[in-house]
Amino acid sequence: MKNIVYMCSMSKKKGAKKSIKPKRPVLKVKAPVPPVAPPPEEVKIKETPQPPRGMRDIMPSEELLWNKVKENATKLATAFGYGYIETSILEHKALFVRGVGGTTDVVQKEMYSFKDQGGDELCLRPEGTAAVARAYINHGMLNLPQPVKLWYLGPFFRRERPQAGRYRQFHQWSVEILGDPHPILDAEVISLAVAFFKDCDIPVTLEINSIGCEQCRGVYKEELRQFYGPKQELLCEICKVRFQTNRLRLLDCKEPQCELLKEGAPQITDFLCEGCRDHFMRVLEYLDESAIPYNLNPHIVRGLDYYNRTVFEVVPDMSGRKEKEKEVVQGPEGTIPPVEPEEEKATLGAQSSLAGGGRYDGLVEQLGGRPTPAVGFSMGLERVVALLKSSGKIMVNDRAPRVFVAQLGEAARRKALTLWHALRSEVPVAAALSKDGLKAQLEIANRLQVRYAIIIGQKEILEKTAIIRDMEAGIQEVIDYSKLVAAIKRKIAEG
Ligand code: HAM
């Protein structure tokens, strides 16, 4: 009864009109008072917080490298007719449990998953193929002309043990082709991965294998059971479990004792059914035709369960790597010091795979769609950037400013902002609008190595002119403000 208060509706104000309605008591029910949450404990931070382990900031000094990688990826994907797709970063956890496989390391140990306020089991996406397959079904892409070719680039999250080249947040560039089983498409996606590294001048080796279909894999798994069964005790602790749960992954293990054992293990290509063998042979023929060299590697099995038939990885080819003269890589904020050979080894550490992929003909159906053959790959961009950085090759920043706008006085400062906008579509421009002195501004212009500085002061504002200063020759000329943009454009074109 504590929350219920009775009030009389009768007005007590003088002169107030009498209500013609019968006077009835109004029942007001007070909402129950919610329990008061204790005030948040004061967070006493003595040191500045660091990013979570395995996560890193990408800084302006790396901008040039990242831009190059992203531009190469975008150019290749669009040249080959792939449409851009961006799926959500948060997904239902069940998508990956069903799509990637409940016994995989990614699902068992590495997903950042949580229950949200509404009780949904969500996770940060650990990979993109299952999400693309989901989107293919959700958006009815099977009604589009097949195959559907898609590409994406973005961050992914896996709670792995961080190492050089292995992060908990990393970026992938991926392409996927859905809706066509033809082996030429396996060769097409592989050719894109290879072309990317060629365009970046990174020597790589393609490792390829076929893991067959469910039928031939069943026969092969039995062969593995017979081979490893008597040797179980020699396996590492993780592989002892894998022997029971995911026998193919025994071939993937990098522990020395398991490496030794797998040398004598039966090879899946000896157990492929006719259809899978024919598919694989044709993929290899197409690669031969495109002059793409490959290593047949029976130990490539991939760590995600959705694969069948063709599987491949692209690894750095260090064999032909000459010790090139280390040159300075130019960046928008100055220079990136070249990485020394010792450091170079550390950039990738034990992480040799630059890209990986394969065919996944059953995934769409497994997620509730119609049977839809598909093939694709993903490339780890942190690893590519690390290799580019260590290569010491000169990288020209074609977005580096060529012109600097300097101003003196408040009226000129205002004009300078407008001028910056007027010029930016014609040529990369820089300015330092908050600076007052001309000397300080020209020093910045020098540091940015621009060819021309445009100077506007009080006098130029009054006379509707501007000064163009050739920073190399030290010559200045006064020009009509109305002709300024055209004049700068002409000068830049003349070099
Ligand atoms: P994945 O082999 O798990 O395949 O990853 C592809 C690439 O992402 C690897 O080769 C590696 O370069 C990079 N990568 C993976 N984990 C990390 C990490 N922790 N730190 C840095 N880089 C990493 C997939 O993700 C499949 N979705 C590929 C695919 C697409 N298959 C068919 N279509």
Side-chain angles (χ1 to χ4, degrees):
M1 292 303 280
K2 224 162 109 196
N3 291 334
I4 302 170
V5 180
Y6 291 94
M7 287 176 72
C8 181
S9 67
M10 251 195 315
S11 169
K12 294 223 165 116
K13 272 192 188 164
K14 241 184 159 184
K17 277 188 187 166
K18 275 191 177 175
S19 168
I20 55 164
K21 281 188 183 167
K23 292 160 199 166
R24 277 218 240 133
V26 176
L27 182 64
K28 270 202 175 175
V29 181
K30 268 193 189 171
V33 182
V36 181
E41 243 179 68
E42 199 187 323
V43 186
K44 287 202 179 99
I45 300 168
K46 291 209 181 85
E47 286 164 17
T48 308
Q50 296 291 314
R53 211 162 106 76
M55 316 227 167
R56 58 191 286 275
D57 303 314
I58 297 174
M59 299 302 291
S61 58
E62 293 173 293
E63 181 187 353
L64 204 56
L65 293 162
W66 278 94
N67 282 347
K68 183 179 166 68
V69 165
K70 287 181 187 172
E71 271 169 28
N72 281 359
T74 310
K75 270 191 211 158
L76 255 173
T78 43
F80 281 78
Y82 291 72
Y84 180 72
I85 185 164
E86 201 167 312
T87 58
S88 56
I89 288 176
L90 279 183
E91 289 278 1
H92 286 285
K93 184 179 169 185
L95 171 68
F96 301 104
V97 177
R98 270 173 75 181
V100 171
T103 62
T104 59
D105 288 352
V106 168
V107 167
Q108 277 199 337
K109 306 182 209 156
E110 297 168 4
M111 285 206 295
Y112 284 96
S113 52
F114 61 96
K115 215 178 235 181
D116 80 354
Q117 291 84 337
D120 286 340
E121 286 271 8
L122 302 180
C123 73
L124 289 173
R125 59 184 188 181
E127 65 99 52
T129 309
V132 164
R134 168 193 63 64
Y136 179 89
I137 303 167
N138 294 160
H139 298 277
M141 285 192 245
L142 88 161
N143 297 318
L144 299 174
Q146 304 292 302
V148 174
K149 295 166 63 165
L150 301 167
W151 75 279
Y152 51 98
L153 191 157
F156 294 86
F157 306 84
R158 293 183 195 173
R159 200 179 182 287
E160 294 186 79
R161 202 156 50 81
Q163 286 178 4
R166 192 205 274 161
Y167 302 97
R168 288 180 172 179
Q169 176 178 338
F170 57 97
H171 295 76
Q172 286 183 342
W173 169 51
S174 312
V175 303
E176 316 280 5
I177 305 182
L178 299 108
D180 197 326
H182 204 291
I184 187 72
L185 300 179
D186 307 30
E188 178 182 316
V189 296
I190 291 173
S191 78
L192 252 69
V194 170
F196 175 92
F197 290 109
K198 198 164 174 227
D199 292 352
C200 288
D201 211 4
I202 296 176
V204 291
T205 304
L206 169 66
E207 308 275 338
I208 193 166
N209 190 21
S210 171
I211 54 167
C213 59
E214 240 171 69
Q215 188 198 336
C216 32
R217 227 169 18 243
V219 178
Y220 180 59
K221 279 182 187 163
E222 179 51 29
E223 287 292 321
L224 285 181
R225 196 186 64 76
Q226 286 181 20
F227 173 78
Y228 278 105
K231 307 177 182 71
Q232 269 186 78
E233 280 315 300
L234 304 173
L235 291 168
C236 74
E237 288 313 305
I238 296 173
C239 280
K240 280 182 185 148
V241 180
R242 281 178 179 155
F243 179 77
Q244 304 298 338
T245 58
N246 202 340
R247 234 165 281 154
L248 267 194
R249 293 294 312 284
L250 293 170
L251 302 171
D252 208 19
C253 184
K254 301 283 181 291
E255 290 299 320
Q257 68 267 39
C258 301
E259 288 263 27
L260 214 63
L261 275 182
K262 74 184 172 193
E263 287 312 316
Q267 300 189 356
I268 186 152
T269 38
D270 293 333
F271 298 88
L272 294 180
C273 64
E274 207 182 319
C276 290
R277 188 176 312 119
D278 178 58
H279 185 95
F280 194 38
M281 292 313 292
R282 290 176 71 189
V283 174
L284 299 181
E285 277 166 24
Y286 293 128
L287 293 178
D288 289 336
E289 186 64 31
S290 311
I292 296 174
Y294 51 83
N295 275 345
L296 291 176
N297 183 341
H299 299 147
I300 299 277
V301 287
R302 314 276 301 131
L304 313 166
D305 276 358
Y306 48 63
Y307 290 112
N308 66 307
R309 293 195 165 170
T310 318
V311 282
F312 62 91
E313 282 183 13
V314 181
V315 297
D317 173 13
M318 291 301 186
S319 63
R321 194 121 183 219
K322 282 180 237 122
E323 199 30 69
K324 293 228 173 96
E325 204 186 323
K326 300 288 171 202
E327 288 170 289
V328 173
V329 181
Q330 293 171 351
E333 281 211 335
T335 57
I336 304 166
V339 180
E340 294 309 319
E342 267 315 297
E343 230 178 295
E344 182 183 320
K345 259 186 255 153
T347 52
L348 287 191
Q351 307 311 308
S352 58
S353 172
L354 296 173
R359 197 156 259 293
Y360 49 96
D361 294 336
L363 179 59
V364 172
E365 192 178 3
Q366 208 171 312
L367 295 177
R370 298 243 189 95
T372 307
V375 64
F377 75 81
S378 302
M379 185 178 289
L381 299 187
E382 275 74 8
R383 296 179 188 179
V384 174
V385 166
L387 278 181
L388 275 178
K389 204 170 184 175
S390 71
S391 73
K393 287 183 193 101
I394 286 185
M395 225 162 276
V396 178
N397 182 7
D398 52 12
R399 296 185 201 167
R402 318 267 303 269
V403 175
F404 188 90
V405 179
Q407 35 69 36
L408 271 175
E410 204 41 45
R413 201 190 314 268
R414 280 199 294 272
K415 196 82 179 165
L417 183 56
T418 321
L419 180 58
W420 197 347
H421 280 286
L423 280 167
R424 74 186 162 88
S425 56
E426 309 293 343
V427 59
V429 194
L433 296 180
S434 64
K435 298 273 183 257
D436 292 321
L438 188 59
K439 189 165 169 251
Q441 293 182 63
L442 291 184
E443 267 170 22
I444 297 171
N446 255 331
R447 213 168 47 233
L448 293 171
Q449 297 177 331
V450 298
R451 176 73 193 270
Y452 299 102
I454 298 169
I455 304 167
I456 315 172
Q458 288 295 94
K459 185 165 172 275
E460 285 72 29
I461 293 283
L462 288 173
E463 293 174 358
K464 296 194 171 43
T465 58
I467 297 168
I468 299 180
R469 182 183 170 85
D470 185 329
M471 299 292 285
E472 268 176 28
I475 302 166
Q476 296 196 162
E477 65 176 292
V478 178
I479 191 146
D480 230 44
Y481 189 84
S482 60
K483 296 180 182 151
L484 181 63
V485 175
I488 281 289
K489 221 173 125 182
R490 197 170 52 248
K491 280 175 186 294
I492 295 289
E494 286 164 3

